Amino acid sequence: MRQIQHVVKAIIRPGESNTSENFKLPIGFTTGVAVYTNGVEKTANVMTTIEMKDDNSIAIVPAVHIDNWRQMSAGEYEKSFKPLNFDTGNKDYSLIFALEEPLSGVVPLKFHVVFLYNNTIKKV
């Protein structure tokens, strides 16, 4: 098994309160996820949530505060990620990013969501 990363990027622009990104995870077994931002949510003083759904609109992770998605301090890199543990199954997924009110100011809120997954790689 080889550990691989897949990144999904998103932006909430000033005046907007949400955005979503549709994506396909490469075939494999997803072990964890972590979110990184440009920090705008810390000064916006509004609740920021992220939700993940599969292609049947079933919530894999219900809408929860962004801190629930953040990488934690842990001894090992993979263990510091939010655990997911599911087979990607070649499905489409969506991430829904939301603020409780429109983003003020002039700087957009940028997200990088990093998925860790394992995939069997055959050597040629």
Side-chain angles (χ1 to χ4, degrees):
M1 296 292 253
R2 179 176 161 219
Q3 186 181 83
I4 304 170
Q5 297 180 356
H6 181 79
V7 179
V8 177
K9 298 176 184 178
I11 297 175
I12 295 179
R13 290 178 172 71
E16 297 176 350
S17 61
N18 60 67
T19 191
S20 64
E21 289 295 325
N22 296 320
F23 62 100
K24 185 179 287 277
L25 284 172
I27 295 172
F29 187 82
T30 302
T31 57
V33 65
V35 67
Y36 302 92
T37 70
N38 59 343
V40 170
E41 78 285 358
K42 294 175 183 172
T43 59
N45 294 323
V46 294
M47 180 72 77
T48 306
T49 62
I50 305 174
E51 179 177 17
M52 182 177 174
K53 292 184 177 183
D54 68 10
D55 54 3
N56 292 317
S57 293
I58 296 171
I60 294 171
V61 179
V64 293
H65 191 273
I66 189 172
D67 288 346
N68 188 264
W69 287 72
R70 294 199 194 276
Q71 187 177 15
M72 302 300 210
S73 297
E76 295 178 36
Y77 179 70
E78 188 172 1
K79 289 184 179 179
S80 68
F81 276 53
K82 176 182 182 60
L84 286 182
N85 299 316
F86 69 92
D87 189 347
T88 63
N90 201 28
K91 292 183 177 182
D92 294 318
Y93 297 93
S94 60
L95 287 170
I96 299 99
F97 305 84
L99 304 172
E100 62 186 350
E101 57 188 61
L103 184 63
S104 60
V106 296
V107 180
L109 172 53
K110 297 179 180 181
F111 302 88
H112 281 192
V113 181
V114 180
F115 290 88
L116 292 180
Y117 67 96
N118 293 316
N119 195 352
T120 303
I121 305 296
K122 294 182 181 181
K123 293 184 180 182
V124 183

